[in-house]
Amino acid sequence: MSRPTREELDEMREQGNSTALRDAFTASQRAIAAWEQSHPPPTLDDVLDWVDELRRVFGEPEVDRAPWVGTDFRL
């Protein structure tokens, strides 16, 4: 068996790094997908409640929800 050259060692190291990066990316994608499945997307009321809470903290009046009544939210 011949000794690997410096270029071959560098290539093997790069392949190892790319494999590690691919594995980390795959694991993070799985974690994100699991979190999204266990946490349903917020409703409009959830978002407006959050905005109202922030506005209270800064001394602003609550959001007028009248324009947001219904299901057609096109701008």
Side-chain angles (χ1 to χ4, degrees):
M1 199 173 195
S2 66
R3 292 180 63 184
T5 64
R6 184 160 191 74
E7 287 178 7
E8 290 172 330
L9 287 172
D10 287 343
E11 185 178 325
M12 289 166 53
R13 205 173 292 123
E14 287 176 13
Q15 288 174 351
N17 287 340
S18 70
T19 300
L21 285 172
R22 257 195 313 269
D23 291 346
F25 180 76
T26 301
S28 68
Q29 291 293 18
R30 286 184 184 139
I32 290 168
W35 186 88
E36 287 175 340
Q37 287 179 352
S38 65
H39 294 79
T43 65
L44 180 60
D45 281 333
D46 294 335
V47 173
L48 291 176
D49 289 344
W50 177 74
V51 169
D52 284 340
E53 185 60 33
L54 282 176
R55 292 176 66 89
R56 278 196 271 310
V57 168
F58 290 102
E60 297 289 328
E62 291 185 355
V63 173
D64 178 15
R65 294 180 186 220
W68 300 103
V69 174
T71 57
D72 185 5
F73 302 115
R74 289 176 290 180
L75 298 176

